[in-house]
Each structure stands twice: as structure tokens, then as C-alpha cells.
Amino acid sequence: MSAPAADMEGGPQKAALKAPQKQQKPPSPHIPRFFAVLAIGLLLAIPIAVPIVVMKVTGKSGKKYETLEAAITGPELSKDFVPIADEEVTKEEQKESFLKVTDKSFERFCRPYYTAGFNAYELVEAAMVSRRAETVGDRSGAQIVDDTLRSAAARGINTVRMWAHTTTALYPFQVAPGKYDERGLKSLDFVLETARKYGLQVILSFIDNWKYYNGVDQYVDWSSTAPNRTLASPFKDLVGDPTAAIYGTGPAGEELKRYETERHALFFSDPDAKKFYKNHVAFLVNRNNSINGRVYRDDPTIIAWNLINEPRCESWLASNKDCNKRFQNWLAEMSTHVRSLDPNHLITIGSEGFYGDSTPQLMQYNPQAWARELGQDFVMNTNLPNIDFATVHAWPDNWMLPQDKIPAFLDKWVQSHMTAGANLSSGSKPIMFEEFGKKLNADQQTEWMIQQLRDPIYQSTYASVEKAIDGKQPIAGSLFWKLAIPVFDGQDARGPYGVDDSDSTMAVIQDHSEFMKRKMNSVPPRPECNLGAWFGTLDQASGERNCANVPAAATAYFAKAPAKADDIGSKLADDLKAGKALVFPTKAACCKPGTGAFPEGCTTPSAKKLRRSA
Ligand SMILES: *[C@@H]1O[C@H](CO)[C@@H](O)[C@H](O)[C@H]1NC(C)=O
Ligand SMILES: *[C@@H]1O[C@H](CO)[C@@H](O)[C@H](O)[C@H]1NC(C)=O
Ligand SMILES: *[C@@H]1O[C@H](CO)[C@@H](O)[C@H](O)[C@H]1NC(C)=O
């Protein structure tokens, strides 16, 4: 096997980890503040994106691919691949298939929707890999994506968050302003279609704050209205670990940090950078999916857009003093832009949710004092009219909290946002706990350590979410960071944050996902919405799995009609209330393998025409 483990060891993942390992202790109070803030700002970048390993790839024919680039093809579909047919849906079903926000919660198909999911920005990259490379199980990247999403759905997971771009030039995406590589786009198309196939919903982010390919810094470098660079870019050919250079210490390193911080902040005000961003939004929302012919704007598989992942406009630097305002103006302008082009999808920020100057009383809940100087202001930002829900991320390891304080911090972090969220002048908006995870160093990647260190964090996080849902607080759910997606033989896909399918953490995740699935699917659509109330039916004799529509169950559930003891609708409504039955708003949802009524789906999912019993 020449998929070189050694190459990977010295590869970008290692490099990216160097700095935080050095910085395990809180920065000394003697170091200049701007330095501390920067160091921390960079630390925060670490969990965000570690590009798929750069490696030489040997094909099965023995042909050596000098670079991964040669094995990048875009999704390789088997000859018999056919996108699944559009389900027959009624007008009402179509209308209600987009996620909405009611007072405090998400609603989809006229009933509550909770997210139980994961982050996996690598999906688009994985989908581009040819089966000629030495992949796990000799599968094409497309097959790996398919297997990954199928098994996630089988565990009750319903939501995936990822980037609407890639993070390294090895997987080409937007190669110049407005110029796209079709292989990258087709891979995104493929991931969306595969998610749809398994009944998963997707959250996409337009851009990443961090210093990667297609990120904020690249937009500024593309700009002709921003000043030309005077210091060499710390990007290393947009391949590998672009942050390494700015970890440099000494006067040269500090100068570069100041320079990069100032330049980075230009993204939020520079005319060209704003134009490129707006064009990218327009391009994506109008993209016609090459695999299923759905325009992104009209695809309910997408439930929300992130405007930007983990934005930073760092205001500790004198020249960036206006950063909070600058970022707020940018959010207002861009959220309005997205809304004008895509009225169907929810819009959110993608920020960690740090409290800023507008809420001095909430500063105490920030992980550290520097958090208020990064440009974010949770309440002010979330109050914008075109921000539909709030996001919170939690990275206590990178925020340098002691181990024993982490569970309490996480609980307070979530609680304080729900309280602050309920206090928004624009009305309560649901809060999504959009990223959380537990870092394990290389020597902690053992079954026992995973059980001791990571599983309790997942358990306590999920317990907070479940408690909030039971308490009818404005929580939307959570997404862990991140699912490990092994693509290449011998690759350590897990890294410091990845949860492998074989890890004990998966059982914790599955328990929670099933809790969320029961919560969501124990409520039928409100009767006035004119949707169905589909229940799984199993024919004991023939073994045939199917779904039947009993709208009377919804009527009885909401007590719109007097319950009759012998009425099947009333009985099902009682079963729902007692947690003894699951109900789905459409036949398609009921028959989906994994997320529907049966793990394997219906026996004949789309054979019969969908008919509504009156
Ligand atoms: C900036 O760089 C571009 C491209 O190299 C060049 O054409 C332009 O003259 C430069 N502008 C200034 C002000 O130096
Ligand atoms: C998207 O592409 C499909 C397949 O080429 C086509 O049938 C459909 O009309 C296109 N949709 C739009 C809105 O252009
Ligand atoms: C809610 O708003 C009121 C009035 O603006 C303020 O006094 C209070 O501290 C706020 N509470 C929270 C938790 O933000």
C-alpha cells in the first residue's frame, strides 16, 4: 500500500495542530493584548477546517498519480446510476416542505422540526475523488458519500452542515471570482441529491472566515478595490496548512499578524469583496442541480444558509475600531441580499454567538474577555430582520477552559443564549447549537479515552438540548463537529475532533438522534395545513412495509373533533401522545429508509400514486 501514512503524519493536520498544543495554557497577561487576541483568534480556527490530506495517490493499475489533483474527477457515478424520481407531492406538501420559524421553534410540514446532526465540510471534497485512487474499500468518493449519508440516516440523524465550497485548491471550486470548476459544483449537486435520497436536510455556508481556499482572505486578495498586498500571503499556494505562516513569533510574525488582521477586516467593507460575495450567493441560489434538475433556491433539502462560518472582524486593533459596526452593516446588507434572491430558505449567520457591547450584562457568559473584540455581538446581530434564527458554537478546548469546568460552561453557554434569544426586540428566534465537539490529541485516540473524555461531553451537551426541548425553550437542536469520513486507505480521518463510525460516541449520538426523531415524529401536521398523517403499516403475513394516511389522527391529536373510543384516528392520536407511534407528514417521508417509519424503507416506496383519503 503506498497510500503513505508517513506523508500524512507530517501533513497539514499535524502542522495545524502545532500551535494549539503549544498554547494549552492561557496566554500570560504580560503579552501584549493584540498578540493574545490573535493567538486565540487563530486557536479558534483549528477545529474549523483541516483540508483532506494532501498525498500522493497510487492507482490500482499501478499508475502513480503525482498529486491528488490527478485523481479528482467530480462525482463518479456508476453506469446504472439514476437520480431518484421526484416524489409525487401535493401543492400543500411542496409549500410546507421548507423550514420555517414560528415563534420559538422550527417548523417543517406544519409541525416542530429539531436538528440532530453533524458537520462534515469534507463531503463535497470526498465526492470528487476517483475510484482510481486508493480509497477505503476501493469505492469512489461518490460511493463513500452515499454510504456515509445512508448510515447517518439509519442512526436517526436528520441534518448535515457543510460548506458550499471546498477548502483547498486541490479540490477546485471557485477558482477565480465568478469562475467555477464544474467538478466541484457537480460534487455539491451530488451531495445534495444523496442527502435528499436519504431524507436528510442540509445547511450550507457561503464562505468560511478561516484562512483557506475560497475563504474571506482570498476574496480580499481577489479584489481590485482593496489595496494590493504589501506582505507576502501566508497562504501556501492555497494547499496544505495556510495558517502555519501566521503562527510565526517575533517581530516579523507580529507584523504579519497585524497586517493580516487588518486586511481580513476589509472583507466586510471592500466594494469588490462584497460584490464577489454577492455574486457567489446569486450563483449558488440559482444553480440548477446537474443531477436532479432542482434549482438550489427551490430545493427543500437545503434548510438554511449560513452567511459566513465563524466571522471575525477583530476590533482590538486601532484601525479596526469600527469592526462591530462594519460587521453588523455587512450582515444587514448580505442577509437582505440573500433574502431577495432566495425567499424560500432560512438565513442565519454561522457565528459562535459571542456577546458584544450591546449587552454588557451578558459579557460574563463569554468564554474569555477577548470574545467581545472579534466583531460579533450576539443580540445585535441576531436581531437583524433577515436573520431567522441564532447560531451558537462551543469550543471550550480551544477557548482554554479547564476540563472540569467544561460541562458547566456548556450548559451556561446554551442557557444564556436561550435567555438572550428570548429577549430579542424582533421576537424570540430559535437557537441552533451549530458546532460542538471534543478535542482528543493523537495519544488520546483510544477506546477508553474516547469513553472517558469525549462521550461525557456529548452526553451533557445532548442532555442540555433535550432539557431545553422538554422545557419548550427556543432551542432548534445541535450539530456535532464532526463526523469522520475516511476516504483514503491508511488516512487518519478522525483527526482531533472526528467521530468514527466505530467509536462509542456513535451510540451516544444515536440515542440522542432517536430522541429527536421521536419528538418530531410524535406530532402530526396541524389539520388546517391540509397535509397527511402517515403511519407505517406492516403486513404480518406478506411482510410488506407500507404507509397509510390517517388525517383523522391529526384532527383528534389537536382535539379538533371529539375523540371516539372506537375511532382509529383517536386511537392513533392517543398512541402519539403516549409515545407509542410515529407519524410522518408525507408518504415520501414515511417511506424513506432510515429517517422514515422503517429502517429499510417501504417495500414499494413509490409504486402507488399518492392519494389523500378525504
Ligand atoms: C496592484 O496590482 C495590480 C496587479 O499586479 C497592478 O496592475 C496595479 O497597478 C497595482 N496597483 C497599485 C496601486 O500598485
Ligand atoms: C434545470 O435543469 C433541468 C435538466 O436540464 C431542466 O429540465 C430544468 O428545466 C432546469 N430548471 C430551470 C429552472 O432552468
Ligand atoms: C432583557 O432585556 C431587558 C430590557 O432591555 C434587560 O434589562 C435585561 O437585562 C435583558 N435580559 C437578558 C437576559 O438579556
Side-chain angles (χ1 to χ4, degrees), residues 355 359 361-362 365 379 416 418-424:
Y355 298 110
T359 52
Q361 77 281 10
L362 296 176
Y365 299 110
V379 172
S416 71
M418 287 188 296
T419 318
N423 211 13
L424 296 170

Side-chain angles (χ1 to χ4, degrees), residues 11-17 42 45-46 48-52 54 121 166-169 208-218 221 229 232-248 256 260:
Q13 303 201 1
K14 250 299 182 23
L17 285 177
L42 290 169
I46 297 315
I48 305 322
V50 178
I52 286 185
V54 181
Y121 68 88
T166 69
T167 60
T168 145
D208 194 1
N209 173 81
W210 303 108
K211 295 188 180 301
Y212 293 102
Y213 175 74
N214 280 182
V216 158
D217 300 85
Q218 185 166 47
D221 283 354
R229 271 196 169 274
S233 167
F235 289 98
K236 288 176 170 174
D237 306 322
L238 301 173
V239 172
D241 172 28
T243 59
I246 23 176
Y247 287 118
L256 186 59
E260 287 299 324

